[in-house]
Amino acid sequence: MNRNWDEAISRMKNRIHATAQQVGDGFPHWADPNTGIWKTTAHGDWTGGYWLGMLWLASRDEGGEGYKHLAEAVCKRLASRVNADTAFKAATFYYGAGLGALLGASKSARELGLAAARDIEQRFNPKLGLVPLGENAEEGSHVGATASSIDSLVVSLLLFWAARESNDSQMRNIAAKHTARVLSIHQREDGAFVQSSSLDVQSGQVLQRYTHKGYSESSIWARAQAWGVLGATISCLSGGIDERFLTAAVKGADWWIDRVPADRVSYWDFDDPAAPNTERDTAASAFMASTLLKLSSIAPSESKRQKYKDAAKKTAAALVDGYLTPVEDHDKRPVGMLVEGCFNKREDSRPEDYVSNAELIFGSYYLFEALLILSGRLQPSDV
């Protein structure tokens, strides 16, 4: 598939500009798909780093100095969360601060990212063999302090980056242990990823594996599958090829490709019996478009590399053509919104996350990243 992705990139940059004008001191969380008005968080929650990530990416293009200046200012506001007791802050600081160092050569962002990484390193629990979610994690009060989840692979992203940045072999070792343990607990033999687990505080034994945010406790939530493949893939790119992680990424990617709908955009949960009459999750699909491009650069065979690259292109094209609001929009929606992201449709979700059709800042980030890779403006190993 030969395609010029510049027009879609332009749409998304238009949306970045509009978002910057709208959110002020807040961090965009999700936006109404009809009006484009953002629900914001004051301190970034776990999603705030993705807004910064979009700014760091946009700062590399021609005329990007304004985005870099804004990113520098916004990044400083993350300082209050460096010591927060949540594994999910790793996403905030990897995409919000780590990318500032990688893409913007920002010294202040680098220091914030390293500080957060050092705090997370201290939270590694040798009995559990991983960094638990923490009391202040998004669902920490629901599932307990010794719980884990496939989402917590964001810890690996931050720690591998920080270990490389500071030449810290101990941190790298902890990142590898965390990655291996989380993957071993949450990936089934067939390649699917189960979202959550409960662990015994003394022995580290797995007491239960279940899906916390999907259709049922045994179903495969689309974003869990995407998190698993993303975490395993970036761990290989950032920490060096580890056959355990690469195998997990390949099995997870193949599982997704074999089961995603023909139009390449996943349902919110692969096991929802209402499909095809159920919500899609464009955010999970954007995760996979970006991740498959990364995986295509390290997959173990040429046939696999081509398979993942082709699947990524088709997924990105489906998202752009079907879900990215156009310049000429008959419904008068803002340009460049990636709509139909299913944040959380379960009634026991946090109120701020209870929306099943929205523009999700993390979905927009991953589509933007994928488009920049497809256009040649970004290399898979850059982020």
Side-chain angles (χ1 to χ4, degrees):
M1 177 195 300
N2 293 317
R3 177 167 178 158
N4 187 323
W5 303 95
D6 289 347
E7 189 274 336
I9 291 171
S10 178
R11 271 190 262 170
M12 296 204 76
K13 288 180 68 176
N14 187 301
R15 180 60 174 158
I16 292 170
H17 179 73
T19 296
Q21 291 185 314
Q22 183 191 134
V23 298
D25 290 336
F27 291 85
H29 196 52
W30 58 263
D32 184 291
N34 299 308
T35 66
I37 296 174
W38 285 99
K39 180 177 182 62
T40 62
T41 63
H43 303 293
D45 203 69
W46 70 269
T47 58
Y50 290 104
W51 168 231
L52 275 159
M54 295 190 81
L55 294 174
W56 292 122
L57 288 172
S59 74
R60 287 163 49 99
D61 261 9
E62 184 178 351
E65 279 301 312
Y67 292 122
K68 183 177 181 180
H69 179 75
L70 178 59
E72 290 273 11
V74 175
C75 188
K76 291 175 183 177
R77 304 211 315 269
L78 298 179
S80 64
R81 303 202 63 229
V82 163
N83 300 118
D85 183 16
T86 167
F88 298 143
K89 74 183 180 190
T92 304
F93 284 94
Y94 176 69
Y95 288 100
L99 262 60
L102 289 169
L103 303 178
S106 170
K107 293 180 179 179
S108 59
R110 178 181 182 274
E111 291 308 311
L112 268 180
L114 290 177
R118 286 190 289 268
D119 180 81
I120 286 179
E121 179 186 14
Q122 297 304 311
R123 297 180 188 278
F124 179 81
N125 186 320
K127 290 183 178 180
L128 304 181
L130 48 72
V131 177
L133 298 188
E135 291 287 355
N136 301 136
E138 180 187 353
E139 62 261 14
S141 60
H142 291 174
V143 299
T146 61
S148 182
S149 75
I150 195 64
D151 320 30
S152 74
L153 282 180
V154 292
V155 164
S156 307
L157 275 56
L158 182 65
L159 292 188
F160 275 126
W161 164 77
R164 192 175 75 244
E165 192 75 15
S166 58
N167 195 27
D168 188 331
S169 59
Q170 178 176 311
M171 185 180 288
R172 187 193 180 285
N173 186 43
I174 287 177
K177 287 181 178 179
H178 176 83
T179 308
R181 179 71 166 146
V182 171
L183 289 172
S184 69
I185 291 173
H186 297 96
Q187 189 169 39
R188 303 188 320 202
E189 281 298 315
D190 65 354
F193 286 101
V194 179
Q195 185 198 358
S196 301
S197 61
S198 299
L199 309 176
D200 181 82
V201 67
Q202 294 300 324
S203 67
Q205 178 183 352
V206 180
L207 302 176
Q208 182 186 12
R209 293 197 308 171
Y210 61 100
T211 290
H212 182 63
K213 293 182 181 174
Y215 173 76
S216 72
E217 287 197 351
S218 61
S219 66
I220 302 302
W221 180 49
R223 219 153 65 233
Q225 192 67 20
W227 277 125
V229 182
L230 181 147
T233 299
I234 298 182
S235 292
C236 284
L237 284 167
S238 186
I241 298 295
D242 184 310
E243 291 301 327
R244 298 170 298 173
F245 308 162
L246 185 56
T247 297
V250 166
K251 287 178 66 175
D254 288 345
W255 190 96
W256 176 285
I257 291 170
D258 289 344
R259 290 167 177 80
V260 76
D263 65 4
R264 305 289 174 160
V265 180
S266 70
Y267 302 117
W268 76 287
D269 189 297
F270 279 89
D271 297 310
D272 186 342
N277 300 312
T278 191
E279 288 88 350
R280 301 296 184 119
D281 188 4
T282 57
S285 301
F287 272 49
M288 286 302 296
S290 172
T291 302
L292 289 170
L293 287 169
K294 293 175 183 293
L295 186 55
S296 74
S297 70
I298 57 172
S301 68
E302 181 55 37
S303 62
K304 288 282 190 186
R305 293 183 182 209
Q306 193 60 50
K307 174 183 179 179
Y308 300 144
K309 187 177 293 184
D310 289 344
K313 288 180 179 179
K314 290 175 181 177
T315 303
L319 292 171
V320 168
D321 294 342
Y323 301 90
L324 190 68
T325 54
V327 175
E328 297 295 334
D329 188 81
H330 297 299
D331 296 323
K332 306 299 183 184
R333 297 173 297 178
V335 176
M337 299 171 63
L338 180 63
V339 296
E340 294 197 37
C342 184
F343 203 141
N344 198 329
K345 65 175 287 183
R346 290 175 58 123
E347 293 183 358
D348 60 354
S349 66
R350 298 189 306 174
E352 60 266 39
D353 302 341
Y354 188 45
V355 61
S356 60
N357 174 11
E359 176 186 18
L360 310 180
I361 191 62
F362 48 91
S364 293
Y365 169 84
Y366 285 117
L367 179 58
F368 192 47
E369 182 185 275
L371 294 176
L372 292 173
I373 294 173
L374 285 168
S375 71
R377 303 186 198 186
L378 189 71
Q379 294 304 307
S381 59
D382 286 347
V383 291

